[in-house]
Amino acid sequence: MVQELLIALVVVILAGAAYTMAAARVVKQYERGVVLRFGRLRDDIRGPGFTMVLPGAERLRKVNMQIVTMPVPAQDGITRDNVTVRVDAVIYFKVVDAASAVIAVEDYRFAVSQMAQTSLRSIIGKSDLDDLLSNREKLNQGLELMIDSPAVGWGVQIDRVEIKDVSLPETMKRSMARQAEADRERRARVINADAELQASKKLSQAAAEMSTQPAALQLRLLQTVVAVAAEKNSTLVLPFPVELLRFLERAQQPTAPPQPGTQMPQDPAAGTAPPVEPASASSPESSPESSSASSPAETQSTESESESEPSSVSPSPSQDPARTAASAPKPAPPAARPRPRRTGSKPLARH
């Protein structure tokens, strides 16, 4: 009898141990347990720790409550400005309602992945290339809202969505490189022009200060010579005054040709006497009474003197003959032909 009791006790203990092993469950700290009894959801969500279920009647499903990092595969699309791009992203989400994640959707991970891919393609088609490259924060927020709207009913919360990389065609990369180079060149030219403007203002102020003291310009020239000579150069460059160039230019201009019938003036220092001008005719101021009062002898002497006046004056013996010949004046124009004499009581006079 005692032996039968011992055997029954051992069987009960073994059965209890087998039942306990079949019903025992352990839920980790970052997990929650959803219990289904005969396919019906139990209201109580099992927390972390040791828990028991009815073997064969209840089924426990564990749901991870950690933040999940899921990469979104690269998607090819065409932007609003007709540029073909390839964009990939990453999404961060977590389950906030374990029961909805099990009951509302078959596989919440796959559902979130597909929703992220479709939303990413939609964002690419609505955006410009410049927005994809420089305004990613706004695109990330829009993509997060597009994914989070259906995910709320699945018991999933989207923490954030980030666009990782935007791949462009090689032709577009070269075009953007040329654009960036041109923009850098433009900025460099603007900066250089601004520097030239500031330098010109300072130079004008310096020129105004030097104009009050002409010696300052000479000192500045000497300082330049010293600075150039300090470099041990074999060639020394000095500034050439512009006034001297203008003087040489005026000196090279041809003089006006002399008028016909005029005689060039002679330099008295050349050693030649100026030519004697021919005696002029009797002045019109002389009265006819004085002309009539002159004697015939005086008239003849006047006529002989007028005929001999066009001849040039011989040089003095003290002058050098060679120098005189070199600087001899040009022959005077021929004397006017004398008018015919008038017959009558009036003496002959030249008009």
Side-chain angles (χ1 to χ4, degrees), residues 110-132:
F110 181 75
V112 171
S113 176
Q114 295 299 316
M115 180 58 66
Q117 295 180 28
T118 56
S119 300
L120 182 58
R121 288 191 177 186
S122 178
I123 286 293
I124 292 174
K126 295 179 181 179
S127 305
D128 295 332
L129 179 61
D130 294 338
D131 295 336
L132 288 176

Side-chain angles (χ1 to χ4, degrees), residues 182-198:
D183 184 66
R184 290 289 180 178
E185 184 69 20
R186 179 185 61 84
R187 292 170 58 184
R189 290 184 179 180
V190 170
I191 294 174
N192 190 15
D194 191 11
E196 292 292 340
L197 177 60
Q198 296 180 6

Side-chain angles (χ1 to χ4, degrees), residues 11 52 69 132 208 225:
V11 172
M52 298 288 292
T69 302
L132 288 176
V225 173

Side-chain angles (χ1 to χ4, degrees), residues 177-216:
R178 289 195 299 269
Q179 179 184 0
E181 184 178 358
D183 184 66
R184 290 289 180 178
E185 184 69 20
R186 179 185 61 84
R187 292 170 58 184
R189 290 184 179 180
V190 170
I191 294 174
N192 190 15
D194 191 11
E196 292 292 340
L197 177 60
Q198 296 180 6
S200 62
K201 291 181 180 180
K202 294 298 181 181
L203 288 176
S204 62
Q205 295 177 4
E209 291 293 334
M210 289 184 179
S211 62
T212 58
Q213 296 292 336

Side-chain angles (χ1 to χ4, degrees), residues 263 273-278 307-315 328-332:
Q263 186 178 357
V276 180
E277 297 180 358
E307 292 177 356
S308 61
E309 282 174 359
S311 60
S312 60
V313 180
S314 60
K330 296 181 179 180

Side-chain angles (χ1 to χ4, degrees), residues 199-244:
S200 62
K201 291 181 180 180
K202 294 298 181 181
L203 288 176
S204 62
Q205 295 177 4
E209 291 293 334
M210 289 184 179
S211 62
T212 58
Q213 296 292 336
L217 184 60
Q218 187 66 21
L219 292 176
R220 182 63 182 141
L221 176 60
L222 295 177
Q223 291 178 1
T224 304
V225 173
V226 171
V228 174
E231 299 294 334
K232 297 181 182 180
N233 296 326
S234 59
T235 303
L236 185 61
V237 180
L238 294 178
F240 201 72
V242 182
E243 289 77 7
L244 183 57

